[in-house]
Amino acid sequence: MCAAPASLKASKTLLPYSFFTLIDSIRRNNMNNPPLKSGDALEAPMAPVTGKRHNRVDTDKFIERPYLPRASVAPSTEHPDGSVRHTEKYPKYSVLQQHCMYWDSDGDGVIWPLDTFRGFRDLGFNFLFSVLAAMGIHAGLSLPTRLHVSYFPDPFFRIYVSVIHADKHGSDSGIIDNEGRFVPCKFEDMWTKASAASELECCPGIPPTTMSLHELWQFLHANRVAMDPFGWVAGFSEWMTTFLLVQQDGMVDKEDIRRVIDGSLFFEVSQARKTMDGWNKGWGLGGDGFIGGEKLLPFSL
């Protein structure tokens, strides 16, 4: 049995350590266990679901300590620095708050139902969809943030960005934690757990970077927890709306999903719609002149 390093012997040195700091110290001092063998402890025969939903095992090769939630950046294995320009623009905000920056168009920290309606319209959604989305979002998410700033519900159903973490609901992916931070390993696991193929056909060993609507539905179903109808509906609404915005040929791309989570994609879509070509992804519902995947209308609904 190897001796503990001197830095870990004294209790006064050990006590201030966080769990992750301790683990890193142990690894640096070569006290870690041998690496897991292929399949060892990763699947349980009597629990078949553990063999169907695989975690990604090489995330730490691309992202340093991927188990640590990132407060203001949303990295992936393809983009370990996240959305650099977006993060530099909002360095003092959490990833969940950055997700909301597009919707808070005047930057006052408060999102009104009209802000949300206009945001959806600028993303290319039609009038009816935008109205229903604004109503549903503010009816469900206003109160949790309001109770952090007042004892009374808000008659205007506003959402407060400073405490947006209060709107985290159950039956979600876990990519955003309870404090509004981004968890890289959870994001990477999403693609190995939900995609039908465990790796790209062209490049064995590399996880897929796209997901079909059916796979997205399976992903939602896997995230459901018992007795959580609000979380089920919220999760379904969020991911289906995302699919309508970014799908291409029936698939959603990993990078688009990452940028939806940190909010940077919303600004790109809004700007693209101001050009002649518009936004060339999504399943149009008439809002941008698109019906399905084709631009068939010379006007917006």
Side-chain angles (χ1 to χ4, degrees), residues 78-97:
E78 294 80 12
H79 297 273
D81 295 322
S83 304
V84 178
R85 292 184 180 179
H86 186 65
T87 302
E88 290 177 348
K89 187 176 181 181
Y90 303 107
K92 297 182 179 181
Y93 294 89
S94 71
V95 173
L96 187 55
Q97 287 175 323

Side-chain angles (χ1 to χ4, degrees), residues 87 176 195 229 234 253:
T87 302
I176 297 294
S195 295
D253 183 74

Side-chain angles (χ1 to χ4, degrees), residues 234-294:
F236 173 83
S237 301
E238 292 162 359
W239 286 103
M240 289 303 106
T241 300
T242 299
F243 181 85
L244 290 175
L245 179 65
V246 303
Q247 77 83 32
Q248 190 168 44
D249 299 325
M251 307 289 284
V252 294
D253 183 74
K254 180 181 178 181
E255 175 62 3
D256 286 340
I257 296 297
R258 186 192 67 80
R259 295 187 61 207
V260 165
I261 293 173
D262 74 9
S264 59
L265 188 71
F266 298 142
F267 294 97
E268 179 181 330
V269 175
S270 179
Q271 289 298 317
R273 291 194 67 246
K274 297 177 182 179
T275 67
M276 292 295 294
D277 296 330
W279 174 243
N280 62 359
K281 294 184 180 181
W283 188 266
L285 297 175
D288 213 9
F290 280 81
I291 302 295
E294 301 291 333

Side-chain angles (χ1 to χ4, degrees), residues 127-138:
F127 182 87
L128 179 60
F129 186 99
S130 300
V131 169
L132 295 176
M135 291 173 60
I137 289 171
H138 286 264

Side-chain angles (χ1 to χ4, degrees), residues 228-238:
D228 183 31
F230 177 84
W232 304 339
V233 173
F236 173 83
S237 301
E238 292 162 359

Side-chain angles (χ1 to χ4, degrees), residues 19 32 67 77 112 174 178 218 223 240 249 259 264:
F19 172 77
N32 55 304
Y67 49 81
T77 54
W112 292 68
N178 288 351
Q218 293 297 106
N223 290 336
M240 289 303 106
D249 299 325
R259 295 187 61 207
S264 59

Side-chain angles (χ1 to χ4, degrees):
M1 178 177 179
C2 65
S7 62
L8 297 182
K9 287 182 178 179
S11 60
K12 63 179 181 180
T13 302
L14 179 60
L15 287 176
Y17 272 49
S18 71
F19 172 77
F20 294 122
T21 304
L22 176 59
I23 294 300
D24 287 339
S25 178
I26 292 174
R27 286 174 174 170
R28 285 195 299 270
N29 286 281
N30 298 318
M31 294 177 62
N32 55 304
N33 292 323
L36 291 174
K37 297 179 181 178
S38 178
D40 183 26
L42 300 181
E43 298 180 16
M46 298 304 293
V49 68
T50 61
K52 296 178 180 178
R53 303 173 190 165
H54 297 280
N55 294 86
R56 182 163 184 172
V57 297
D58 65 342
T59 304
D60 58 345
K61 294 181 180 179
F62 305 92
I63 304 173
E64 183 182 7
R65 289 182 285 180
Y67 49 81
L68 280 179
R70 271 34 174 203
S72 58
V73 64
S76 66
T77 54
E78 294 80 12
H79 297 273
D81 295 322
S83 304
V84 178
R85 292 184 180 179
H86 186 65
T87 302
E88 290 177 348
K89 187 176 181 181
Y90 303 107
K92 297 182 179 181
Y93 294 89
S94 71
V95 173
L96 187 55
Q97 287 175 323
Q98 292 176 20
H99 175 83
C100 298
M101 290 298 103
Y102 167 80
W103 309 95
D104 181 21
S105 56
D106 57 5
D108 64 352
V110 179
I111 303 175
W112 292 68
L114 185 58
D115 292 330
T116 302
F117 168 79
R118 289 172 174 168
F120 274 103
R121 290 293 283 160
D122 289 343
L123 292 177
F125 290 92
N126 65 43
F127 182 87
L128 179 60
F129 186 99
S130 300
V131 169
L132 295 176
M135 291 173 60
I137 289 171
H138 286 264
L141 302 183
S142 173
L143 184 60
T145 63
R146 176 68 173 182
L147 293 179
H148 280 260
V149 299
S150 173
Y151 291 109
F152 305 101
D154 183 8
F156 300 106
F157 292 93
R158 293 169 291 186
I159 294 173
Y160 296 83
V161 177
S162 62
V163 288
I164 193 63
H165 64 276
D167 277 334
K168 179 176 167 63
H169 55 78
S171 300
D172 68 345
S173 63
I175 295 171
I176 297 294
D177 71 5
N178 288 351
E179 291 71 42
R181 298 170 298 203
F182 182 90
V183 187
C185 62
K186 292 288 186 180
F187 179 69
E188 297 302 327
D189 288 347
M190 168 183 174
W191 302 92
T192 54
K193 284 186 175 183
S195 295
S198 60
E199 57 187 30
L200 296 177
E201 293 182 1
C202 65
C203 310
I206 300 179
T209 56
T210 58
M211 191 180 297
S212 68
L213 179 60
H214 174 72
E215 291 166 347
L216 189 58
W217 173 256
Q218 293 297 106
F219 170 70
L220 286 169
H221 187 270
N223 290 336
R224 292 178 182 173
V225 296
M227 305 300 291
D228 183 31
F230 177 84
W232 304 339
V233 173
F236 173 83
S237 301
E238 292 162 359
W239 286 103
M240 289 303 106
T241 300
T242 299
F243 181 85
L244 290 175
L245 179 65
V246 303
Q247 77 83 32
Q248 190 168 44
D249 299 325
M251 307 289 284
V252 294
D253 183 74
K254 180 181 178 181
E255 175 62 3
D256 286 340
I257 296 297
R258 186 192 67 80
R259 295 187 61 207
V260 165
I261 293 173
D262 74 9
S264 59
L265 188 71
F266 298 142
F267 294 97
E268 179 181 330
V269 175
S270 179
Q271 289 298 317
R273 291 194 67 246
K274 297 177 182 179
T275 67
M276 292 295 294
D277 296 330
W279 174 243
N280 62 359
K281 294 184 180 181
W283 188 266
L285 297 175
D288 213 9
F290 280 81
I291 302 295
E294 301 291 333
K295 189 168 186 177
L296 302 177
L297 302 177
F299 53 84
S300 175
L301 296 179

